[in-house]
Amino acid sequence: MGSSHADADLGKRLEFIDLDQASLALLREMAPAIEAHIGRGLDAFYDKVRKTPETSLFFRNDDHVSGAKRLQQDHWGIVTAAQYDGDYVDGVRAIGRTHARIGLEPRWYIGGYALILEQLIHAVMKERWPGMFGKGGAGKLAQAVSVMVKAALLDMDYSISVYLESLEEQRLQAEAARQKAEEEQMQALAALREALSRLSRGDLEYRLPDDLPENFRALAEDYNTTVSTLRGTIGTVREAGEEILRSTTVIAEATDNLAQRTEQQAAGLQESTSALQELTGSVSQAAEGARKASDVVRLTLEEAQTSGAVVTKAVEAMGAIEQSSDKISRIIGVIDEIAFQTNLLALNAGVEAARAGEAGRGFAVVAQEVRELAQRCANAAKEIKGLISESSDQVQNGVSLVNGAGDALGNIIVRIDEINAIVSRIAIAAGDQSSGLKEVNIAIGNMDGITQQNAAMVEETSAQTSTLREEVERLVASLRHFRTSDGRAAAASAARHHGWMKRAS
Protein backbone atom coordinates (compact mmCIF):
# COMPACT_ATOMS: atom_id res chain seq x y z
CA MET A 1 0.00 0.00 0.00
CA GLY A 2 1.45 3.41 -1.02
CA SER A 3 2.08 6.19 1.51
CA SER A 4 -0.52 8.62 0.03
CA HIS A 5 -3.12 5.90 -0.15
CA ALA A 6 -2.36 4.86 3.44
CA ASP A 7 -2.69 8.47 4.64
CA ALA A 8 -5.98 8.87 2.80
CA ASP A 9 -7.31 5.64 4.23
CA LEU A 10 -6.23 6.71 7.74
CA GLY A 11 -7.94 10.04 7.30
CA LYS A 12 -11.20 8.38 6.31
CA ARG A 13 -11.09 6.13 9.34
CA LEU A 14 -10.37 9.05 11.71
CA GLU A 15 -13.17 11.08 10.13
CA PHE A 16 -15.67 8.19 10.32
CA ILE A 17 -15.14 7.64 14.07
CA ASP A 18 -14.96 11.42 14.80
CA LEU A 19 -11.39 11.51 16.01
CA ASP A 20 -10.84 15.19 15.15
CA GLN A 21 -8.09 17.48 16.31
CA ALA A 22 -9.92 18.29 19.55
CA SER A 23 -10.28 14.59 20.29
CA LEU A 24 -6.62 14.00 19.51
CA ALA A 25 -5.67 16.86 21.82
CA LEU A 26 -7.79 15.28 24.56
CA LEU A 27 -6.05 11.95 23.90
CA ARG A 28 -2.65 13.64 24.33
CA GLU A 29 -3.93 15.20 27.54
CA MET A 30 -4.75 11.72 28.90
CA ALA A 31 -1.34 10.36 27.94
CA PRO A 32 0.19 10.60 31.45
CA ALA A 33 -2.72 8.72 33.02
CA ILE A 34 -2.72 6.08 30.28
CA GLU A 35 1.04 5.61 30.44
CA ALA A 36 0.82 5.31 34.23
CA HIS A 37 -1.79 2.53 34.11
CA ILE A 38 -1.08 0.77 30.80
CA GLY A 39 1.44 -1.47 32.53
CA ARG A 40 -1.20 -2.81 34.95
CA GLY A 41 -3.60 -3.46 32.08
CA LEU A 42 -0.93 -5.29 30.12
CA ASP A 43 -0.06 -7.33 33.22
CA ALA A 44 -3.69 -8.38 33.58
CA PHE A 45 -3.85 -9.23 29.88
CA TYR A 46 -0.68 -11.36 29.77
CA ASP A 47 -1.57 -13.07 33.04
CA LYS A 48 -4.79 -14.17 31.36
CA VAL A 49 -2.77 -15.22 28.30
CA ARG A 50 -0.55 -17.49 30.41
CA LYS A 51 -3.57 -19.15 32.07
CA THR A 52 -5.47 -19.77 28.83
CA PRO A 53 -4.26 -22.94 26.99
CA GLU A 54 -5.24 -21.62 23.56
CA THR A 55 -3.17 -18.40 23.93
CA SER A 56 -0.27 -19.67 26.03
CA LEU A 57 0.89 -21.70 23.04
CA PHE A 58 1.86 -18.50 21.18
CA PHE A 59 4.65 -17.67 23.66
CA ARG A 60 7.78 -19.74 24.17
CA ASN A 61 8.72 -18.47 27.66
CA ASP A 62 8.57 -15.47 30.04
CA ASP A 63 11.18 -13.54 28.03
CA HIS A 64 8.98 -13.85 24.97
CA VAL A 65 6.03 -12.46 26.98
CA SER A 66 8.15 -9.57 28.34
CA GLY A 67 9.26 -8.63 24.84
CA ALA A 68 5.66 -8.60 23.60
CA LYS A 69 4.64 -6.45 26.58
CA ARG A 70 7.36 -3.87 25.82
CA LEU A 71 6.23 -3.64 22.21
CA GLN A 72 2.64 -3.07 23.39
CA GLN A 73 3.76 -0.27 25.74
CA ASP A 74 5.70 1.40 22.91
CA HIS A 75 2.68 1.17 20.66
CA TRP A 76 0.40 2.71 23.29
CA GLY A 77 2.95 5.49 23.59
CA ILE A 78 2.37 6.27 19.88
CA VAL A 79 -1.41 6.03 20.40
CA THR A 80 -1.49 8.42 23.38
CA ALA A 81 0.77 10.81 21.53
CA ALA A 82 -1.89 10.83 18.77
CA GLN A 83 0.81 10.30 16.12
CA TYR A 84 -1.59 9.03 13.47
CA ASP A 85 0.64 8.99 10.42
CA GLY A 86 2.31 6.52 8.06
CA ASP A 87 4.52 5.09 10.81
CA TYR A 88 1.44 4.39 12.92
CA VAL A 89 -0.25 2.60 10.03
CA ASP A 90 2.86 0.55 9.28
CA GLY A 91 3.20 -0.42 12.93
CA VAL A 92 -0.40 -1.42 13.46
CA ARG A 93 -0.51 -3.33 10.14
CA ALA A 94 2.71 -5.15 11.08
CA ILE A 95 1.03 -6.23 14.30
CA GLY A 96 -1.99 -7.47 12.35
CA ARG A 97 0.19 -9.41 9.89
CA THR A 98 2.05 -11.00 12.81
CA HIS A 99 -1.23 -12.11 14.37
CA ALA A 100 -2.37 -13.55 11.05
CA ARG A 101 0.96 -15.35 10.56
CA ILE A 102 0.95 -17.03 13.98
CA GLY A 103 -2.78 -17.80 13.77
CA LEU A 104 -3.97 -15.58 16.61
CA GLU A 105 -7.70 -15.27 16.00
CA PRO A 106 -9.42 -11.84 16.32
CA ARG A 107 -11.45 -13.03 19.32
CA TRP A 108 -8.29 -13.21 21.45
CA TYR A 109 -7.12 -9.81 20.13
CA ILE A 110 -10.46 -8.18 20.93
CA GLY A 111 -10.50 -9.86 24.34
CA GLY A 112 -7.06 -8.48 25.09
CA TYR A 113 -8.18 -4.92 24.22
CA ALA A 114 -11.20 -5.42 26.45
CA LEU A 115 -8.98 -6.28 29.43
CA ILE A 116 -6.62 -3.36 28.76
CA LEU A 117 -9.51 -0.89 28.25
CA GLU A 118 -11.04 -2.07 31.50
CA GLN A 119 -7.93 -1.00 33.39
CA LEU A 120 -7.56 2.25 31.45
CA ILE A 121 -11.22 3.22 31.89
CA HIS A 122 -10.96 2.62 35.62
CA ALA A 123 -7.85 4.81 35.75
CA VAL A 124 -9.41 7.67 33.73
CA MET A 125 -12.63 7.51 35.72
CA LYS A 126 -10.71 7.64 38.95
CA GLU A 127 -8.57 10.62 37.94
CA ARG A 128 -11.23 12.62 36.05
CA TRP A 129 -14.30 11.84 38.09
CA PRO A 130 -16.06 15.22 38.78
CA GLY A 131 -16.80 16.37 42.28
CA MET A 132 -20.14 16.00 44.06
CA PHE A 133 -21.45 19.19 42.57
CA GLY A 134 -19.55 19.08 39.31
CA LYS A 135 -22.21 17.64 37.07
CA GLY A 136 -20.86 19.67 34.20
CA GLY A 137 -17.64 17.67 34.27
CA ALA A 138 -19.49 14.42 33.46
CA GLY A 139 -19.65 15.30 29.80
CA LYS A 140 -15.91 15.89 29.64
CA LEU A 141 -15.33 12.56 31.38
CA ALA A 142 -17.55 10.77 28.90
CA GLN A 143 -15.73 12.47 26.03
CA ALA A 144 -12.36 11.41 27.45
CA VAL A 145 -13.51 7.79 27.80
CA SER A 146 -15.00 7.73 24.30
CA VAL A 147 -11.79 9.16 22.80
CA MET A 148 -9.76 6.43 24.50
CA VAL A 149 -12.20 3.71 23.37
CA LYS A 150 -12.16 5.07 19.80
CA ALA A 151 -8.35 5.00 19.76
CA ALA A 152 -8.40 1.38 20.93
CA LEU A 153 -11.08 0.44 18.38
CA LEU A 154 -9.07 2.11 15.62
CA ASP A 155 -6.17 -0.18 16.55
CA MET A 156 -8.48 -3.19 16.44
CA ASP A 157 -9.95 -2.01 13.13
CA TYR A 158 -6.53 -1.92 11.50
CA SER A 159 -5.39 -5.21 13.06
CA ILE A 160 -8.56 -7.12 12.13
CA SER A 161 -8.60 -5.62 8.62
CA VAL A 162 -4.99 -6.70 8.12
CA TYR A 163 -5.86 -10.16 9.53
CA LEU A 164 -8.71 -10.47 7.02
CA GLU A 165 -6.53 -9.14 4.22
CA SER A 166 -3.88 -11.71 5.10
CA LEU A 167 -6.50 -14.45 5.04
CA GLU A 168 -7.70 -13.20 1.66
CA GLU A 169 -4.14 -13.14 0.35
CA GLN A 170 -3.64 -16.67 1.59
CA ARG A 171 -6.91 -17.69 -0.04
CA LEU A 172 -5.88 -16.12 -3.33
CA GLN A 173 -2.48 -17.74 -3.13
CA ALA A 174 -4.10 -21.08 -2.34
CA GLU A 175 -6.54 -20.62 -5.22
CA ALA A 176 -3.69 -19.77 -7.58
CA ALA A 177 -1.72 -22.74 -6.32
CA ARG A 178 -4.81 -24.93 -6.75
CA GLN A 179 -5.34 -23.75 -10.32
CA LYS A 180 -1.69 -24.27 -11.11
CA ALA A 181 -1.81 -27.72 -9.50
CA GLU A 182 -4.95 -28.56 -11.52
CA GLU A 183 -3.27 -27.49 -14.74
CA GLU A 184 -0.16 -29.49 -13.89
CA GLN A 185 -2.35 -32.39 -12.83
CA MET A 186 -4.29 -32.27 -16.12
CA GLN A 187 -1.02 -32.23 -18.05
CA ALA A 188 0.32 -35.15 -16.01
CA LEU A 189 -2.97 -37.05 -16.25
CA ALA A 190 -3.02 -36.64 -20.02
CA ALA A 191 0.50 -38.05 -20.27
CA LEU A 192 -0.35 -40.82 -17.80
CA ARG A 193 -3.59 -41.60 -19.68
CA GLU A 194 -1.61 -42.01 -22.90
CA ALA A 195 0.92 -44.19 -21.12
CA LEU A 196 -1.79 -46.38 -19.54
CA SER A 197 -3.59 -46.64 -22.87
CA ARG A 198 -0.44 -47.95 -24.51
CA LEU A 199 0.21 -50.19 -21.53
CA SER A 200 -3.29 -51.67 -21.85
CA ARG A 201 -2.40 -52.56 -25.45
CA GLY A 202 0.75 -54.33 -24.24
CA ASP A 203 3.20 -51.59 -25.23
CA LEU A 204 5.94 -51.64 -22.60
CA GLU A 205 8.28 -49.41 -24.63
CA TYR A 206 6.40 -46.14 -24.11
CA ARG A 207 7.86 -43.81 -21.47
CA LEU A 208 6.41 -40.76 -19.72
CA PRO A 209 8.16 -37.56 -20.91
CA ASP A 210 10.78 -35.91 -18.74
CA ASP A 211 9.28 -32.40 -19.11
CA LEU A 212 6.29 -33.00 -16.83
CA PRO A 213 5.61 -30.47 -14.04
CA GLU A 214 8.04 -30.71 -11.18
CA ASN A 215 5.48 -32.26 -8.81
CA PHE A 216 4.96 -35.16 -11.20
CA ARG A 217 8.54 -35.80 -12.27
CA ALA A 218 9.02 -38.32 -9.46
CA LEU A 219 5.81 -40.04 -10.63
CA ALA A 220 7.16 -40.15 -14.19
CA GLU A 221 10.47 -41.60 -12.99
CA ASP A 222 8.66 -44.19 -10.86
CA TYR A 223 6.35 -45.11 -13.75
CA ASN A 224 9.22 -45.40 -16.22
CA THR A 225 11.23 -47.45 -13.75
CA THR A 226 8.21 -49.67 -13.03
CA VAL A 227 7.50 -50.20 -16.74
CA SER A 228 11.16 -50.96 -17.35
CA THR A 229 11.15 -53.49 -14.53
CA LEU A 230 7.83 -54.89 -15.76
CA ARG A 231 9.27 -55.14 -19.28
CA GLY A 232 12.18 -57.18 -18.01
CA THR A 233 9.89 -59.26 -15.81
CA ILE A 234 7.42 -59.93 -18.63
CA GLY A 235 10.28 -60.95 -20.90
CA THR A 236 11.64 -63.27 -18.26
CA VAL A 237 8.18 -64.67 -17.49
CA ARG A 238 7.52 -65.18 -21.20
CA GLU A 239 10.76 -67.10 -21.66
CA ALA A 240 10.03 -69.08 -18.48
CA GLY A 241 6.51 -69.75 -19.74
CA GLU A 242 7.85 -71.10 -23.03
CA GLU A 243 10.24 -73.33 -21.13
CA ILE A 244 7.51 -74.45 -18.71
CA LEU A 245 5.25 -75.23 -21.65
CA ARG A 246 7.92 -77.48 -23.20
CA SER A 247 8.65 -79.09 -19.83
CA THR A 248 4.98 -79.72 -19.03
CA THR A 249 4.52 -81.43 -22.40
CA VAL A 250 7.42 -83.79 -21.62
CA ILE A 251 6.09 -84.31 -18.09
CA ALA A 252 2.62 -85.05 -19.46
CA GLU A 253 3.99 -87.80 -21.74
CA ALA A 254 6.10 -89.23 -18.90
CA THR A 255 3.10 -89.13 -16.58
CA ASP A 256 0.96 -91.01 -19.12
CA ASN A 257 3.63 -93.73 -19.39
CA LEU A 258 3.93 -93.85 -15.61
CA ALA A 259 0.15 -94.18 -15.30
CA GLN A 260 0.15 -97.19 -17.66
CA ARG A 261 3.02 -98.88 -15.80
CA THR A 262 1.37 -98.16 -12.47
CA GLU A 263 -1.88 -99.76 -13.66
CA GLN A 264 0.03 -102.88 -14.77
CA GLN A 265 1.86 -102.99 -11.46
CA ALA A 266 -1.42 -102.60 -9.57
CA ALA A 267 -2.98 -105.51 -11.54
CA GLY A 268 0.03 -107.78 -10.84
CA LEU A 269 0.05 -106.85 -7.19
CA GLN A 270 -3.67 -107.58 -6.94
CA GLU A 271 -3.09 -111.10 -8.36
CA SER A 272 -0.20 -111.64 -5.92
CA THR A 273 -2.47 -110.50 -3.11
CA SER A 274 -5.12 -113.07 -4.06
CA ALA A 275 -2.55 -115.90 -4.21
CA LEU A 276 -1.04 -114.86 -0.91
CA GLN A 277 -4.49 -114.77 0.68
CA GLU A 278 -5.09 -118.39 -0.41
CA LEU A 279 -1.65 -119.42 0.93
CA THR A 280 -2.39 -117.58 4.17
CA GLY A 281 -5.68 -119.51 4.49
CA SER A 282 -3.90 -122.86 3.94
CA VAL A 283 -1.17 -122.08 6.43
CA SER A 284 -3.79 -120.91 8.92
CA GLN A 285 -5.65 -124.22 8.56
CA ALA A 286 -2.37 -126.15 8.98
CA ALA A 287 -1.54 -124.08 12.05
CA GLU A 288 -5.00 -124.77 13.46
CA GLY A 289 -4.55 -128.54 12.82
CA ALA A 290 -1.10 -128.50 14.47
CA ARG A 291 -2.56 -126.68 17.43
CA LYS A 292 -5.36 -129.26 17.78
CA ALA A 293 -2.81 -132.15 17.43
CA SER A 294 -0.71 -130.50 20.13
CA ASP A 295 -3.78 -130.34 22.37
CA VAL A 296 -4.58 -134.06 21.73
CA VAL A 297 -0.99 -135.14 22.42
CA ARG A 298 -0.98 -133.02 25.56
CA LEU A 299 -4.21 -134.69 26.75
CA THR A 300 -2.75 -138.14 25.90
CA LEU A 301 0.38 -137.30 27.87
CA GLU A 302 -1.74 -136.23 30.82
CA GLU A 303 -3.77 -139.48 30.64
CA ALA A 304 -0.58 -141.58 30.31
CA GLN A 305 0.89 -139.80 33.29
CA THR A 306 -2.34 -140.52 35.18
CA SER A 307 -2.16 -144.24 34.14
CA GLY A 308 1.48 -144.37 35.31
CA ALA A 309 0.36 -143.13 38.69
CA VAL A 310 -2.39 -145.81 38.80
CA VAL A 311 0.13 -148.54 37.87
CA THR A 312 2.47 -147.28 40.56
CA LYS A 313 -0.36 -147.48 43.07
CA ALA A 314 -1.26 -151.03 41.85
CA VAL A 315 2.37 -152.12 42.33
CA GLU A 316 2.32 -150.63 45.79
CA ALA A 317 -1.03 -152.42 46.54
CA MET A 318 0.36 -155.77 45.33
CA GLY A 319 3.42 -155.29 47.51
CA ALA A 320 1.09 -154.68 50.43
CA ILE A 321 -0.87 -157.88 49.48
CA GLU A 322 2.41 -159.81 49.37
CA GLN A 323 3.34 -158.53 52.80
CA SER A 324 -0.12 -159.43 54.09
CA SER A 325 0.25 -162.97 52.62
CA ASP A 326 3.54 -163.38 54.47
CA LYS A 327 1.86 -162.30 57.70
CA ILE A 328 -1.05 -164.68 57.04
CA SER A 329 1.42 -167.51 56.34
CA ARG A 330 3.12 -166.80 59.65
CA ILE A 331 -0.25 -166.70 61.41
CA ILE A 332 -1.27 -170.01 59.78
CA GLY A 333 2.05 -171.50 60.92
CA VAL A 334 1.17 -170.45 64.42
CA ILE A 335 -2.32 -172.00 63.97
CA ASP A 336 -0.69 -175.21 62.67
CA GLU A 337 1.57 -175.38 65.71
CA ILE A 338 -1.42 -174.73 67.97
CA ALA A 339 -3.33 -177.59 66.24
CA PHE A 340 -0.29 -179.86 66.68
CA GLN A 341 -0.03 -178.98 70.33
CA THR A 342 -3.79 -179.34 70.70
CA ASN A 343 -3.65 -182.77 69.05
CA LEU A 344 -0.77 -183.77 71.30
CA LEU A 345 -2.67 -182.59 74.38
CA ALA A 346 -5.80 -184.41 73.21
CA LEU A 347 -3.70 -187.55 72.76
CA ASN A 348 -2.28 -187.23 76.26
CA ALA A 349 -5.76 -186.56 77.56
CA GLY A 350 -7.04 -189.79 75.88
CA VAL A 351 -4.20 -191.76 77.46
CA GLU A 352 -5.03 -190.31 80.82
CA ALA A 353 -8.72 -190.97 80.30
CA ALA A 354 -7.98 -194.64 79.40
CA ARG A 355 -6.03 -194.98 82.60
CA ALA A 356 -8.88 -193.49 84.49
CA GLY A 357 -11.15 -196.18 83.34
CA GLU A 358 -14.81 -195.73 83.59
CA ALA A 359 -14.44 -192.39 85.25
CA GLY A 360 -12.51 -190.92 82.32
CA ARG A 361 -14.74 -192.21 79.53
CA GLY A 362 -16.54 -188.87 79.07
CA PHE A 363 -13.30 -186.98 79.10
CA ALA A 364 -11.90 -189.46 76.54
CA VAL A 365 -14.80 -188.63 74.21
CA VAL A 366 -14.06 -184.92 74.59
CA ALA A 367 -10.39 -185.50 74.02
CA GLN A 368 -11.24 -187.46 70.89
CA GLU A 369 -13.38 -184.59 69.57
CA VAL A 370 -10.67 -182.11 70.36
CA ARG A 371 -8.14 -184.22 68.56
CA GLU A 372 -10.36 -184.49 65.51
CA LEU A 373 -10.99 -180.73 65.62
CA ALA A 374 -7.28 -180.08 65.94
CA GLN A 375 -6.70 -182.40 63.02
CA ARG A 376 -9.24 -180.54 60.90
CA CYS A 377 -7.65 -177.25 61.89
CA ALA A 378 -4.27 -178.56 60.89
CA ASN A 379 -5.63 -179.79 57.57
CA ALA A 380 -7.40 -176.48 56.95
CA ALA A 381 -4.32 -174.53 57.89
CA LYS A 382 -2.29 -176.69 55.55
CA GLU A 383 -4.75 -176.06 52.70
CA ILE A 384 -4.80 -172.30 53.42
CA LYS A 385 -1.05 -172.22 53.54
CA GLY A 386 -0.93 -173.96 50.18
CA LEU A 387 -3.43 -171.54 48.74
CA ILE A 388 -1.56 -168.54 50.22
CA SER A 389 1.70 -169.88 48.86
CA GLU A 390 0.10 -170.24 45.41
CA SER A 391 -1.45 -166.75 45.72
CA SER A 392 1.92 -165.32 46.76
CA ASP A 393 3.47 -166.81 43.64
CA GLN A 394 0.71 -165.30 41.52
CA VAL A 395 1.12 -161.93 43.26
CA GLN A 396 4.83 -162.07 42.53
CA ASN A 397 4.05 -162.71 38.85
CA GLY A 398 1.47 -159.89 38.88
CA VAL A 399 3.99 -157.54 40.48
CA SER A 400 6.53 -158.46 37.83
CA LEU A 401 3.96 -157.91 35.08
CA VAL A 402 2.78 -154.62 36.57
CA ASN A 403 6.36 -153.43 36.99
CA GLY A 404 6.99 -154.32 33.35
CA ALA A 405 3.80 -152.47 32.35
CA GLY A 406 4.91 -149.50 34.48
CA ASP A 407 8.31 -149.42 32.78
CA ALA A 408 6.67 -149.67 29.35
CA LEU A 409 4.18 -146.95 30.28
CA GLY A 410 7.05 -144.77 31.53
CA ASN A 411 8.81 -145.24 28.20
CA ILE A 412 5.53 -144.38 26.43
CA ILE A 413 5.20 -141.23 28.57
CA VAL A 414 8.76 -140.21 27.64
CA ARG A 415 8.04 -140.79 23.94
CA ILE A 416 4.70 -138.95 24.16
CA ASP A 417 6.45 -136.09 25.95
CA GLU A 418 9.00 -135.90 23.13
CA ILE A 419 6.19 -136.07 20.55
CA ASN A 420 4.33 -133.33 22.48
CA ALA A 421 7.44 -131.11 22.43
CA ILE A 422 7.89 -131.68 18.69
CA VAL A 423 4.19 -131.11 17.92
CA SER A 424 4.21 -127.97 20.15
CA ARG A 425 7.20 -126.60 18.28
CA ILE A 426 5.47 -127.42 14.99
CA ALA A 427 2.28 -125.70 16.21
CA ILE A 428 4.26 -122.62 17.38
CA ALA A 429 6.19 -122.48 14.11
CA ALA A 430 2.96 -122.89 12.13
CA GLY A 431 1.33 -120.18 14.23
CA ASP A 432 4.30 -117.87 13.67
CA GLN A 433 4.20 -118.63 9.96
CA SER A 434 0.47 -117.96 9.93
CA SER A 435 0.92 -114.66 11.79
CA GLY A 436 3.80 -113.69 9.55
CA LEU A 437 1.79 -114.52 6.45
CA LYS A 438 -1.14 -112.53 7.81
CA GLU A 439 1.13 -109.54 8.40
CA VAL A 440 2.64 -109.99 4.93
CA ASN A 441 -0.88 -110.29 3.54
CA ILE A 442 -1.91 -107.10 5.36
CA ALA A 443 1.23 -105.33 4.16
CA ILE A 444 0.65 -106.44 0.59
CA GLY A 445 -3.00 -105.44 0.96
CA ASN A 446 -1.87 -102.01 2.10
CA MET A 447 0.61 -101.90 -0.76
CA ASP A 448 -2.19 -102.86 -3.09
CA GLY A 449 -4.36 -100.03 -1.71
CA ILE A 450 -1.44 -97.59 -1.91
CA THR A 451 -0.67 -98.73 -5.44
CA GLN A 452 -4.31 -98.24 -6.40
CA GLN A 453 -4.21 -94.78 -4.83
CA ASN A 454 -0.92 -94.06 -6.60
CA ALA A 455 -2.47 -95.15 -9.86
CA ALA A 456 -5.43 -92.86 -9.28
CA MET A 457 -3.10 -90.07 -8.23
CA VAL A 458 -0.93 -90.58 -11.30
CA GLU A 459 -4.03 -90.39 -13.47
CA GLU A 460 -5.09 -87.23 -11.65
CA THR A 461 -1.56 -85.85 -12.02
CA SER A 462 -1.65 -86.63 -15.70
CA ALA A 463 -4.96 -84.80 -16.03
CA GLN A 464 -3.68 -81.85 -13.97
CA THR A 465 -0.47 -81.77 -16.04
CA SER A 466 -2.52 -81.57 -19.20
CA THR A 467 -4.59 -78.79 -17.67
CA LEU A 468 -1.41 -77.03 -16.52
CA ARG A 469 0.06 -77.31 -20.02
CA GLU A 470 -3.09 -75.77 -21.48
CA GLU A 471 -3.03 -72.95 -18.91
CA VAL A 472 0.69 -72.29 -19.52
CA GLU A 473 0.06 -72.27 -23.24
CA ARG A 474 -2.73 -69.75 -22.71
CA LEU A 475 -0.45 -67.70 -20.43
CA VAL A 476 2.33 -67.73 -23.01
CA ALA A 477 -0.15 -66.69 -25.70
CA SER A 478 -1.22 -63.77 -23.49
CA LEU A 479 2.39 -62.73 -22.81
CA ARG A 480 3.17 -62.68 -26.52
CA HIS A 481 0.89 -59.63 -26.88
CA PHE A 482 3.29 -57.46 -24.87
CA ARG A 483 5.63 -55.32 -26.92
CA THR A 484 9.17 -55.29 -25.59
CA SER A 485 12.59 -54.63 -27.02
CA ASP A 486 13.15 -58.38 -27.31
CA GLY A 487 10.05 -58.86 -29.44
CA ARG A 488 12.03 -60.55 -32.23
CA ALA A 489 13.52 -63.00 -29.78
CA ALA A 490 10.02 -63.70 -28.43
CA ALA A 491 8.68 -64.30 -31.95
CA ALA A 492 11.58 -66.65 -32.72
CA SER A 493 10.97 -68.47 -29.45
CA ALA A 494 7.27 -68.83 -30.29
CA ALA A 495 8.14 -70.19 -33.76
CA ARG A 496 10.55 -72.71 -32.22
CA HIS A 497 7.88 -73.75 -29.73
CA HIS A 498 5.20 -74.33 -32.40
CA GLY A 499 7.64 -76.33 -34.48
CA TRP A 500 8.63 -78.39 -31.48
CA MET A 501 4.95 -78.98 -30.65
CA LYS A 502 4.30 -80.27 -34.19
CA ARG A 503 7.24 -82.67 -33.92
CA ALA A 504 6.06 -83.82 -30.47
CA SER A 505 2.52 -84.47 -31.76
Side-chain angles (χ1 to χ4, degrees), residues 31 51 97 123 139 181 183 192 231 233 286 307 320 325 332 372 374 408 422 459 480 491:
K51 295 179 179 178
R97 283 193 295 270
E183 293 174 358
L192 183 60
R231 182 169 58 249
T233 303
S307 299
S325 298
I332 290 174
E372 292 177 359
I422 294 171
E459 292 179 359
R480 292 191 188 115

Side-chain angles (χ1 to χ4, degrees), residues 329-372:
S329 297
R330 289 194 297 271
I331 293 170
I332 290 174
V334 173
I335 293 172
D336 191 18
E337 291 178 358
I338 291 172
F340 177 75
Q341 293 294 332
T342 302
N343 189 19
L344 184 59
L345 291 174
L347 183 60
N348 290 331
V351 174
E352 291 297 330
R355 286 181 183 176
E358 191 63 29
R361 183 177 295 174
F363 186 73
V365 174
V366 174
Q368 184 63 32
E369 290 295 330
V370 171
R371 189 168 58 250
E372 292 177 359

Side-chain angles (χ1 to χ4, degrees), residues 169-183:
E169 289 177 2
Q170 292 175 6
R171 187 189 67 79
L172 293 175
Q173 291 174 359
E175 180 66 20
R178 185 186 63 79
Q179 291 179 356
K180 182 180 179 181
E182 286 182 355
E183 293 174 358

Side-chain angles (χ1 to χ4, degrees), residues 201-393:
R201 296 193 297 270
D203 186 1
L204 299 178
E205 290 298 314
Y206 181 79
R207 293 172 56 86
L208 285 176
D210 297 332
D211 58 350
L212 287 178
E214 185 176 358
N215 292 336
F216 296 94
R217 289 176 185 173
L219 173 63
E221 293 178 359
D222 292 341
Y223 175 83
N224 294 334
T225 303
T226 301
V227 171
S228 178
T229 304
L230 180 62
R231 182 169 58 249
T233 303
I234 291 296
T236 303
V237 171
R238 185 167 55 197
E239 293 176 0
E242 299 282 355
E243 185 64 29
I244 292 173
L245 183 58
R246 291 191 292 272
S247 300
T248 50
T249 303
V250 175
I251 292 173
E253 294 179 356
T255 304
D256 290 337
N257 295 332
L258 178 61
Q260 294 177 0
R261 290 194 296 270
T262 304
E263 289 179 357
Q264 295 174 358
Q265 183 181 4
L269 187 59
Q270 190 172 10
E271 294 177 358
S272 300
T273 301
S274 300
L276 186 60
Q277 286 178 349
E278 294 179 359
L279 178 60
T280 302
S282 300
V283 173
S284 298
Q285 292 177 358
E288 183 65 21
R291 187 184 62 79
K292 291 181 179 179
S294 177
D295 293 338
V296 171
V297 171
R298 181 175 54 78
L299 293 174
T300 303
L301 178 61
E302 292 176 355
E303 292 177 356
Q305 289 175 347
T306 303
S307 299
V310 172
V311 170
T312 301
K313 291 180 180 180
V315 171
E316 292 176 354
M318 287 184 180
I321 292 171
E322 185 178 8
Q323 293 176 359
S324 299
S325 298
D326 292 338
K327 291 179 180 180
I328 293 172
S329 297
R330 289 194 297 271
I331 293 170
I332 290 174
V334 173
I335 293 172
D336 191 18
E337 291 178 358
I338 291 172
F340 177 75
Q341 293 294 332
T342 302
N343 189 19
L344 184 59
L345 291 174
L347 183 60
N348 290 331
V351 174
E352 291 297 330
R355 286 181 183 176
E358 191 63 29
R361 183 177 295 174
F363 186 73
V365 174
V366 174
Q368 184 63 32
E369 290 295 330
V370 171
R371 189 168 58 250
E372 292 177 359
L373 179 60
Q375 187 63 37
R376 286 198 303 273
C377 286
N379 292 334
K382 187 176 181 180
E383 291 178 2
I384 291 171
K385 187 175 182 180
L387 291 173
I388 288 175
S389 176
E390 183 179 356
S391 177
S392 178
D393 294 337

